[in-house]
Amino acid sequence: MTALIHVSALYRYPVKGLSPEPVERADLETSGFFPGDRLYAIENGPSGFNAVAPRHQPKTKYLMLMRDEALARLRTRYEDATATLTVEGHGEPQAFNLDTEAGREGLADLMRRFIPASLRGEPKVLAAPPQYRFTDSPTGYVSLINRASVAAVEDYLGVPVDPLRFRGNLLVEGLDPFAELEMVGQVVEAPSGLRLKITKRTVRCAATNVEPTSGIRDCDIPWTLDARLGHRDLGVYAEVIAGGALAKGDALRVACGDGTGRAVP
């Protein structure tokens, strides 16, 4: 196999709709999600989510950038050891222990004050039970963004496009623009033995129109993709079929879809 792809950055999103956190390294488990990703969501009125018997709910049931672009103005940081989320960007920095009812209610109250016009009901912070995450796709375990595809969108629009608009876990280099879309069914392997099977394309929504620091809607990426390519896909989802570590700078080798290790033509 020949090294084709390099991991240029890794990100997690502890709270759905809130800011990304860069990580240098992650340990992924077989059939698991990206570590620390989408652990919490903020319900926008009753969603029907049941933590005892969790079923995937549409992202529209939660606060999220597609509709609530002001969320991008908040800067957040999550501490795994204490389950504490620190939020900046609305008054003095505040810290909430999301393991406690008081901490979850505190974050919900911040949303009542920060985006009251966006609320369709009482906001409520939900914690993901084991083996569940608040991903956009029910099979969205790990998301991968091809930087060359983002660069192509920049060319289409004639303006810089931050790859964080696409809220991926892995940002990769070394592929041609949109080559990731043709990799569905293929397997990529990291030096640790980690194997990711590419499972589906990611259809982009209006969340990508929001500049990820200002919260301003300043372009129309889904429409641009559709007009140029006839679809709205950029990036892919992958399933962890063999656990292992992944680090910034790692080279990923592409194997056949059956995971045998034979080089892809």
Side-chain angles (χ1 to χ4, degrees):
M1 295 181 294
T2 303
L4 298 176
I5 309 169
H6 284 83
V7 178
S8 61
L10 299 170
Y11 287 93
R12 68 178 192 173
Y13 301 79
V15 181
K16 187 177 187 66
L18 299 186
S19 61
E21 293 185 3
V23 296
E24 294 296 312
R25 183 181 184 279
D27 293 306
L28 285 74
E29 298 181 356
T30 302
S31 300
F33 295 89
F34 193 86
D37 198 50
R38 277 80 172 186
L39 298 171
Y40 303 92
I42 306 172
E43 200 176 47
N44 192 357
S47 68
F49 179 76
N50 182 349
V52 176
R55 298 180 64 182
H56 185 267
Q57 300 287 335
K59 60 187 173 183
T60 52
K61 299 287 188 76
Y62 309 117
L63 294 178
M64 42 82 188
L65 289 176
M66 188 176 80
R67 288 182 175 172
D68 313 307
E69 64 271 22
L71 293 173
R73 301 203 301 268
L74 298 176
R75 305 266 66 80
T76 61
R77 183 177 67 257
Y78 182 74
E79 297 291 339
D80 295 278
T82 61
T84 298
L85 183 77
T86 301
V87 183
E88 300 178 359
H90 184 64
E92 292 296 316
Q94 299 180 66
F96 306 100
N97 183 340
L98 300 184
D99 263 357
T100 68
E101 184 176 349
R104 294 190 293 272
E105 175 55 30
L107 180 58
D109 187 59
L110 185 150
M111 295 300 157
R112 293 185 190 99
R113 292 180 279 111
F114 182 58
I115 50 171
S118 294
L119 300 181
R120 302 192 300 269
E122 280 298 301
K124 181 180 179 181
V125 178
L126 304 176
Q131 308 306 315
Y132 183 87
R133 293 294 183 271
F134 293 104
T135 52
D136 285 354
S137 167
T139 56
Y141 299 101
V142 177
S143 56
L144 181 152
I145 302 300
N146 178 6
R147 281 187 177 271
S149 301
V150 178
V153 173
E154 288 184 324
D155 290 341
Y156 298 158
L157 294 171
V159 296
V161 174
D162 191 329
L164 292 181
R165 288 178 184 259
F166 301 93
R167 298 178 70 79
N169 299 127
L170 280 63
L171 302 187
V172 301
E173 298 176 347
L175 292 170
D176 290 336
F178 304 102
E180 77 277 12
L181 303 181
E182 306 308 318
M183 293 176 65
V184 173
Q186 293 183 349
V187 172
V188 294
E189 183 176 5
S192 68
L194 169 74
R195 286 190 166 200
L196 300 172
K197 181 176 182 179
I198 309 302
T199 56
K200 63 180 295 188
R201 298 181 178 197
T202 306
V203 181
R204 307 322 312 196
C205 71
T208 59
N209 298 336
V210 179
E211 203 285 322
T213 55
S214 68
I216 296 172
R217 293 185 187 272
D218 58 1
C219 60
D220 193 335
I221 288 176
W223 182 89
T224 300
L225 289 170
D226 209 1
R228 291 286 187 139
L229 304 174
H231 60 72
R232 299 189 172 201
D233 303 341
L234 189 155
V236 288
Y237 284 117
E239 178 184 357
V240 184
I241 61 172
L246 188 64
K248 181 178 176 181
D250 275 354
L252 302 180
R253 299 177 182 272
V254 182
C256 289
D258 59 7
T260 61
R262 296 190 300 269
V264 174

